[in-house]
Amino acid sequence: MSNLVKGRTGDWEVVIGLETHAQIVSDAKLFSGAATAFGAEQNTQVSTVDAAFPGMLPVINRHCVEQAVKTGLGLNAQINPVSIFDRKNYFYADLPAGYQISQYKSPVVGKGEVVLDMPDGERRHIGITRLHLEQDAGKSLHDQHPTMTYVDLNRAGVGLMEIVSEPDLRSAEEAGAYLRKLRSILRYLGTCDGNMEEGSLRCDCNVSVRRAGETKFGTRAEIKNVNSIRFVMQAIEYEARRQIEILEDGGSIVQETRLFDAHRGETRPMRSKENDFDYRYFPDPDLLPLELDPAWIEGLRRGLPELPDARKARFVAELGLTPYDADVLVAEKSHADYFETVAAGRDAKLAANWVTGDLFGALNRLGKEIEASPVSAPALGELLDLIRDNTISGRIAKDVFAAMLETGKSAGAIVEERGLRQVTDSGPIEAAVEAVLAANADKVAEYKSGKDKLYGFFVGQAMKATGGKANPALLNDILRKKLSA
Amino acid sequence: MALDRTIVARIATLARIKVSDSELDALAGELGSILAWIEQLNEVDVSGVAPMTSVAHMKLPMRDDKITDGGDRDAILANAPQEARGFFAVPKVVE
Amino acid sequence: MSELTRLTLSDARDGLRAGEFSARELTEAHLDAMAASRALNAFVTETPERALAMAAASDARLAQGQAGLLEGLPVAVKDLFCTKDILTTACSRILDGFKPPYESTVTQKLWDSGAVMLGKTSLDEFAMGSSNSTSCHGPVENPWRRRGDNRPLVPGGSSGGSAAAVAARLALGATGTDTGGSIRQPASFCGVVGMKPTYGRCSRWGVVAFASSLDHPGPIARTVRDAALMLQAMSGHDPRDSTSAPIPVPDFAASLTGDIRGLRIGVPKEYRVDGMPPEIETLWQRGVEWIKAAGATPVEISLPMTKYALATYYIIAPAEASSNLARYDGVRFGLRVPGASIDEMYENTRAAGFGAEVKRRILIGTYVLSAGYYDAYYLRAQKIRALIARDFAAAFERCDAILTPTTPSPAFALGEKQDDPVTMYLNDVFTVPADLAGLPAISLPAGLSDDGLPLGLHVIGRAFDEETVFRVAGVLEGAAAFTAEPGR
């Protein structure tokens, strides 16, 4: 197993489970009618229900329930027809009610899985333990004032899906792959936008280690609220090493909650009172059990978009793409959609090369998302058509593409304007080749006496003479004939 | 039978209510006698009985995903003991 | 003008519509009465200007023939109901200065039906109590006194202020809430009618929560018809309360036909408790005779779980309260006592803001929910609650309504029953089961104790069958012909 970590006294296995909090895409909050949009002025998206004023009561948002069920279906998970909302009781400045409405013993979604295709070709099945609905808390700002913390409740009450993985991950790399895959599924479904910088996706990492071959789990530490995939991987690596060092020195791991300090690349313990681990869960008496109609669930299942795994399989089976190319294209739904538009009725492999190579390269350079691509999918398709029908060569197409990016004009317009049509008439090509051979009689003689490398020189000169527009295959044909004459 | 002092202290911390040492003993006694009185419930045979969490005879109602609330910061802050630049202000929380 | 405070709500309603007097006159008479009776301490906030403005608006609507159900009728509001921009404190220091930016659904319905708000009445702090002696604004006095005894008596609780105000004729009606008996028990102690409807009949939105699965808003008034009219205005589905019943509100007053022939009235043997004063037993028997005389049939029924109801309540209610009261932390409203850290601020604020009884219940509630104790206490109590509900369901196969006394004693003196908390809890032994089962129940004054204090009879009905409850209560009220009045 390549995932083992070498310690001083032997090999160690790292065991990781991830709890991901995904903010639900919805207009209003989970239990109130306040807005959820990111970036509003503090406390301008707060209902008296969110602020837990006296006498306020929760009413659940149907759309949030739908989003959770759709996510469960996308994770191939068991949808529980009856689930219960519980209160999780604890005191914190950004938790106005002194409790969070969550789900404890009876979540809305049960066991499922996420499939990872690792770069070494291995296929890993990562179990999902459960998914439940809960409220997000507000935001505490500790750095605005020397002695005061400032509280903004805009985020309080926004719907979250907590997605818990089984402790099936065995490396930081796998954890990264899992998060990327999960994020991709959520974005395909439209149930979470996966924007980790804005906090729509946050991850708590449970990390423990054990000696290679050991079957019992070691004591784990929980690293809370890591907000980028890169940091998750760093935090896991740091924590694994930290724990291995402690155990090799004969110490033991304290089960505790830790934070990841991104500046130092370290995890450190959180300062919370021990007592607060008693959340005193009980069913929320302001709500009733959530009962889902099987027909309604079926309806949601039928309405699901094609998900990454299925789309990848289809790209490989029906469009003949390599698994690697398919993987790259399906990672983001918008990319896959773009590609399919380009590939429709065309050579899929050619389309894949242009999209993953030229287009993605250009977008990276320009710092743009595909939604803002200067070259639309139909426009790129038109370019590929011009290659296929021999109007231009593949080489010229690259120049045309560059011009399309710059000017926003269509491929056809640029080819016409700049006179880039490929020369497919043998007449002008023959003339060009004859002229080159005539002007370089000495090199012709050298070639004929064995200097094969000069062939490329003749190609280059002839191509230049045609302004780069000679059809390469035809030019080769004519040149060979003339040289062997 | 009084409740153990340390248990009362722990419960008081969970509930975030400061209880002085002198109050602790009185409370331990009172809580103890309430809990002793409640012990009678152990006589009841509850095997096979599902717990009743609500007497509401209905299904959980759901609301439409529409923005119908919020947007009135003044109302939300009007009763705040301390407020600053549109935030609630509290003594600094150490993480 | 004091004649006007002698009217029932129903008669005042008729008088206004007949133009015998104006809403303004009616309200002024009650405001005067309130001013003269401040010694009772029934009101914690008086709203005379608003009352007069509302009365003026009512007079305009009456003149245009657009009278709402309770047009122009002055009522009092228990200070547990949030009233927009008007002090709402739950009679706790921790809500010092709190003015809600919203109106509770139930009180809004009252104002929409034309009622006039006289002010906010006192209650046991956070509705926890049976004597109204734990209000941070001081105890409320019962307008009744024992014959030949000058000691002030408690009005009962937690809706003691509302019951006292109605009994002393300071308001034609008042809102209350009933979680363990807090409408019916004070109504019984004060010689007035108190109605706890079915759970979910009246919305809890905007009512400061004590125990969510047990809180029932309802009316306190001087007659059964008055209570029926008030409940009519207060009831109705509220989409903002997920436990609010999505069913239409029947015409409650129309149920007062006076005819209960053929009804079977259950008499539960387990309500005959050890040491029950003979006068209570006598009253109960008289009640049975009255219903027989009216053509109904008494049926002995058994409610075997009755004796466990109080202890069950004292696990569930504090548990829910411990969570509901966590929001009182000094951050967004009410009292804040400074602290060096936020936890210290919480601890100082809640220690200073909550009274002793509230603290006790929060701590018991926290304890029974805590790790290791949940199954033994809370879960077990929820199962016994199911058994209590099952008891009633079985009983209602054999009867249409149940008749019991309301309380095991008449009103007691201020300071009595304070030795240990449990003694105070026993006041609710007859009322608590109906809260646990969510069933409609009413208390009406039916007789006097040997000391000349009012005693109440108590009728429990099937879920959402307030009509039968009112009908039976109306007949008992007629038979009892209770005309005694408090001295004050």
Side-chain angles (χ1 to χ4, degrees):
Chain A
M1 277 221 292
S2 54
N3 284 329
L4 293 179
V5 177
K6 278 215 167 318
R8 232 179 42 230
T9 63
D11 286 344
W12 293 85
E13 188 178 39
V14 185
V15 175
I16 303 142
L18 296 181
E19 284 169 26
T20 310
H21 291 89
Q23 260 183 15
I24 298 175
V25 168
S26 66
D27 288 341
K29 295 183 179 178
L30 182 55
F31 289 111
S32 84
T36 58
F38 181 82
E41 284 282 299
Q42 56 272 23
N43 289 311
T44 55
Q45 290 179 180
V46 183
S47 147
T48 45
V49 174
D50 304 322
F53 272 57
M56 292 296 96
L57 297 171
V59 181
I60 199 165
N61 180 331
R62 182 186 302 107
H63 185 69
C64 291
V65 177
E66 256 181 48
Q67 297 287 61
V69 174
K70 277 163 68 176
T71 303
L73 293 169
L75 295 171
N76 281 314
Q78 156 102 356
I79 308 298
N80 294 324
V82 181
S83 62
I84 309 281
F85 290 100
D86 299 293
R87 292 191 186 177
K88 179 179 183 182
N89 298 279
Y90 64 98
F91 283 86
Y92 203 76
D94 57 25
L95 190 68
Y99 61 85
Q100 174 199 37
I101 302 179
S102 178
Q103 297 188 295
Y104 182 50
K105 290 193 178 146
S106 305
V108 59
V109 173
K111 289 196 184 300
E113 75 169 3
V114 168
V115 179
L116 303 179
D117 286 321
M118 302 305 290
D120 63 4
E122 202 195 342
R123 177 165 273 199
R124 295 268 289 125
H125 291 258
I126 308 299
I128 298 291
T129 316
R130 53 184 272 160
L131 178 156
H132 71 252
L133 282 162
E134 62 180 25
Q135 296 175 305
D136 207 345
K139 276 215 188 105
S140 297
L141 285 79
H142 308 297
D143 55 357
Q144 301 290 304
H145 189 279
T147 59
M148 306 293 284
T149 285
Y150 286 177
V151 181
D152 170 17
L153 296 179
N154 280 351
R155 205 182 59 180
V158 170
L160 289 178
M161 296 177 287
E162 180 173 323
I163 302 167
V164 182
S165 85
E166 294 282 333
D168 289 346
L169 297 161
R170 293 289 175 271
S171 69
E173 191 200 8
E174 278 188 2
Y178 167 83
L179 276 176
R180 259 177 264 118
K181 186 60 176 286
L182 182 63
R183 188 174 169 277
S184 174
I185 293 172
L186 292 169
R187 285 168 63 84
Y188 264 68
L189 291 167
T191 57
C192 172
D193 69 20
N195 188 330
M196 292 185 87
E197 290 92 48
E198 287 182 359
S200 342
L201 197 62
R202 313 191 288 264
C203 194
D204 294 345
C205 317
N206 289 299
V207 183
S208 67
V209 297
R210 60 188 177 189
R211 289 199 182 275
E214 174 67 63
T215 51
K216 257 181 43 188
F217 287 129
T219 305
R220 64 168 202 258
E222 183 184 13
I223 310 163
K224 284 197 87 64
N225 274 332
V226 190
N227 62 4
S228 86
I229 296 179
R230 194 164 55 92
F231 291 161
V232 165
M233 292 168 70
Q234 279 176 19
I236 290 169
E237 279 177 353
Y238 175 86
E239 182 61 19
R241 268 182 279 120
R242 184 188 77 89
Q243 292 190 12
I244 290 170
E245 263 176 49
I246 290 174
L247 291 171
E248 291 198 315
D249 286 343
S252 53
I253 307 299
V254 176
Q255 179 168 339
E256 62 183 352
T257 313
R258 300 172 75 84
L259 290 176
F260 179 65
D261 182 336
H263 292 303
R264 298 216 187 101
E266 297 174 350
T267 65
R268 57 180 168 78
M270 262 182 100
R271 312 236 308 249
S272 53
K273 291 185 188 235
E274 238 175 81
N275 280 332
D276 285 4
F277 287 14
D278 189 350
Y279 294 121
R280 288 155 282 136
Y281 287 98
F282 72 104
D284 193 327
D286 287 329
L287 295 166
L288 298 162
L290 179 63
E291 293 178 38
L292 302 177
D293 176 14
W296 180 78
I297 299 174
E298 236 344 271
L300 287 180
R301 187 193 304 273
R302 273 183 269 116
L304 288 184
E306 187 184 34
L307 292 175
D309 288 343
R311 203 161 194 184
K312 173 183 171 176
R314 184 166 61 83
F315 281 3
V316 170
E318 289 174 24
L319 299 182
L321 294 192
T322 62
Y324 179 80
D325 280 347
D327 239 353
V328 172
L329 287 167
V330 303
E332 286 285 332
K333 183 168 182 290
S334 51
H335 296 174
D337 289 343
Y338 186 103
F339 160 74
E340 276 209 77
T341 305
V342 176
R346 300 189 180 96
D347 178 345
K349 180 69 186 165
L350 183 66
N353 287 345
W354 273 89
V355 171
T356 61
D358 304 81
L359 178 71
F360 283 179
L363 291 176
N364 277 336
R365 235 183 22 248
L366 297 168
K368 285 189 192 293
E369 293 300 324
I370 205 163
E371 287 81 3
S373 170
V375 177
S376 72
L380 181 56
E382 195 201 327
L383 178 66
L384 298 192
D385 288 338
L386 296 179
I387 299 174
R388 182 183 55 195
D389 67 15
N390 278 323
T391 306
I392 52 174
S393 67
R395 225 227 120 273
I396 292 287
K398 304 247 180 226
D399 296 338
V400 174
F401 184 68
M404 286 166 77
L405 283 170
E406 231 188 88
T407 65
K409 291 193 178 152
S410 76
I414 292 168
V415 164
E416 286 313 312
E417 266 173 40
R418 305 194 189 185
L420 297 173
R421 275 182 170 277
Q422 193 166 230
V423 177
T424 49
D425 221 355
S426 46
I429 299 180
E430 271 196 49
V433 168
E434 275 166 17
V436 166
L437 295 182
N440 294 281
D442 50 339
K443 294 208 167 59
V444 174
E446 282 180 58
Y447 174 80
K448 284 196 173 159
S449 60
K451 245 193 165 171
D452 293 334
K453 273 176 25 182
L454 282 173
Y455 186 84
F457 170 76
F458 298 132
V459 170
Q461 290 297 306
M463 195 51 98
K464 213 165 88 171
T466 63
K469 293 182 289 194
N471 179 299
L474 195 50
L475 187 153
N476 262 309
D477 223 28
I478 292 170
L479 182 61
R480 256 182 233 289
K481 282 205 189 100
K482 299 256 175 227
L483 282 173
S484 53
Chain B
M1 186 201 71
L3 209 54
D4 192 88
R5 275 176 119 248
T6 45
I7 294 182
V8 180
R10 182 171 65 82
I11 298 293
T13 304
L14 269 179
R16 296 294 187 276
I17 299 178
K18 184 192 211 131
V19 174
S20 68
D21 254 9
S22 50
E23 289 171 296
L24 213 50
D25 286 316
L27 264 176
E30 286 164 0
L31 298 181
S33 67
I34 294 171
L35 289 168
W37 171 65
I38 284 172
E39 287 299 314
Q40 60 180 287
L41 295 181
N42 287 327
E43 294 164 17
V44 183
D45 179 7
V46 293
S47 41
V49 182
M52 173 181 243
T53 42
S54 183
V55 288
H57 312 278
M58 49 192 279
K59 300 195 104 206
L60 179 68
M62 305 212 236
R63 65 187 302 148
D64 292 338
D65 187 25
K66 291 208 173 68
I67 299 168
T68 56
D69 212 340
D72 189 351
R73 177 157 75 195
D74 292 339
I76 292 295
L77 290 173
N79 284 281
Q82 209 176 338
E83 161 284 301
R85 297 197 276 114
F87 291 97
F88 292 100
V90 297
K92 201 182 269 267
V93 179
V94 189
E95 292 244 280
Chain C
M1 281 309 137
S2 58
E3 298 294 307
L4 292 177
T5 63
R6 298 198 52 75
L7 295 168
T8 63
L9 180 141
S10 186
D11 288 344
R13 185 169 175 273
D14 293 340
L16 280 173
R17 279 151 209 267
E20 286 164 26
F21 43 82
S22 68
R24 184 191 177 80
E25 288 169 319
L26 188 59
T27 292
E28 277 174 348
H30 285 89
L31 290 172
D32 289 344
M34 282 160 66
S37 300
R38 291 209 174 103
L40 295 177
N41 207 20
F43 281 85
V44 296
T45 299
E46 297 179 15
T47 54
E49 277 125 34
R50 169 170 299 221
L52 290 169
M54 290 170 91
S58 285
D59 276 327
R61 281 190 290 269
L62 281 159
Q64 283 151 16
Q66 286 167 357
L69 183 67
L70 300 180
E71 198 68 57
L73 301 173
V75 300
V77 176
K78 180 177 185 178
D79 202 25
L80 199 61
F81 291 76
C82 288
T83 41
K84 187 164 193 246
D85 300 328
I86 292 173
L87 217 48
T88 298
T89 68
C91 287
S92 176
R93 281 264 99 88
I94 212 161
L95 274 175
D96 259 0
F98 177 61
K99 290 188 177 172
Y102 47 87
E103 184 84 26
S104 78
T105 297
V106 163
T107 51
Q108 187 58 54
K109 282 174 170 304
L110 287 172
W111 317 143
D112 288 346
S113 69
V116 170
M117 173 158 79
L118 293 169
K120 311 298 288 296
T121 55
S122 190
L123 57 142
D124 277 304
E125 187 186 358
F126 278 105
M128 301 183 193
S130 317
S131 63
N132 213 137
S133 58
T134 64
S135 164
C136 71
H137 303 294
V140 173
E141 263 191 53
N142 193 325
W144 295 80
R145 289 251 169 103
R146 287 174 181 142
R147 198 177 297 118
D149 185 340
N150 246 346
R151 278 180 301 164
L153 305 180
V154 303
S158 63
S159 315
S162 285
V166 170
R169 300 174 185 283
L170 312 181
L172 289 176
T175 68
T177 61
D178 193 311
T179 305
S182 293
I183 284 177
R184 294 160 290 153
Q185 184 254 23
S188 179
F189 276 18
C190 292
V192 294
V193 175
M195 170 57 158
K196 181 198 82 61
T198 313
Y199 184 80
R201 180 65 88 179
C202 292
S203 168
R204 289 184 299 114
W205 195 89
V207 179
V208 179
F210 157 19
S212 316
S213 75
L214 294 160
D215 288 342
H216 301 72
I220 295 177
R222 282 198 293 281
T223 70
V224 173
R225 172 171 294 273
D226 289 357
L229 285 169
M230 269 196 84
L231 185 63
Q232 186 82 38
M234 292 165 71
S235 301
H237 176 238
D238 183 4
R240 291 183 297 186
D241 173 355
S242 294
T243 60
S244 170
I247 59 174
V249 183
D251 184 342
F252 293 131
S255 66
L256 298 172
T257 59
D259 182 0
I260 59 168
R261 285 172 301 171
L263 284 189
R264 300 158 302 167
I265 308 295
V267 182
K269 58 185 187 193
E270 291 83 0
Y271 274 58
R272 192 160 285 113
V273 297
D274 285 339
M276 194 153 93
E279 56 198 3
I280 306 274
E281 173 68 46
T282 308
L283 179 74
W284 193 4
Q285 276 317 304
R286 241 187 287 140
V288 173
E289 295 308 313
W290 288 332
I291 55 130
K292 276 205 301 216
T297 315
V299 175
E300 194 187 64
I301 59 168
S302 178
L303 297 170
M305 300 302 300
T306 300
K307 65 176 168 164
Y308 300 114
L310 259 184
T312 302
Y313 172 81
Y314 275 101
I315 290 178
I316 297 173
E320 294 183 3
S322 71
S323 182
N324 284 332
L325 271 60
R327 66 191 60 195
Y328 303 105
D329 58 8
V331 176
R332 290 146 289 114
F333 39 75
L335 179 73
R336 176 186 293 195
V337 175
S341 67
I342 191 162
D343 279 331
E344 255 194 54
M345 192 264 287
Y346 288 152
E347 294 187 346
N348 292 342
T349 299
R350 289 159 66 79
F354 290 137
E357 182 60 34
V358 170
K359 279 182 194 157
R360 263 194 293 271
R361 297 204 196 186
I362 289 176
L363 293 175
I364 287 279
T366 305
Y367 180 81
V368 303
L369 288 175
S370 65
Y373 299 109
Y374 179 88
D375 284 0
Y377 289 108
Y378 189 75
L379 191 60
R380 171 168 275 270
Q382 295 288 44
K383 293 180 177 182
I384 297 175
R385 183 175 188 176
L387 290 175
I388 290 170
R390 214 188 273 183
D391 268 5
F392 279 108
F396 281 122
E397 311 242 304
R398 304 181 50 235
C399 69
D400 307 299
I402 296 170
L403 177 69
T404 79
T406 309
T407 55
S409 77
F412 46 89
L414 206 53
E416 272 175 23
K417 302 208 183 190
Q418 307 278 36
D419 338 318
D420 85 278
V422 176
T423 318
M424 189 64 81
Y425 298 164
L426 292 172
N427 280 300
D428 290 331
V429 63
F430 298 143
T431 51
V432 147
D435 291 289
L436 288 165
L439 299 173
I442 197 170
S443 174
L444 62 135
L448 291 174
S449 71
D450 299 336
D451 277 353
L453 294 176
L455 298 171
L457 279 177
H458 182 237
V459 180
I460 308 171
R462 293 188 180 95
F464 300 110
D465 190 16
E466 287 86 356
E467 290 158 285
T468 300
V469 172
F470 277 126
R471 194 149 44 104
V472 173
V475 166
L476 288 169
E477 181 183 55
F482 184 88
T483 51
E485 290 186 26
R488 313 172 73 235

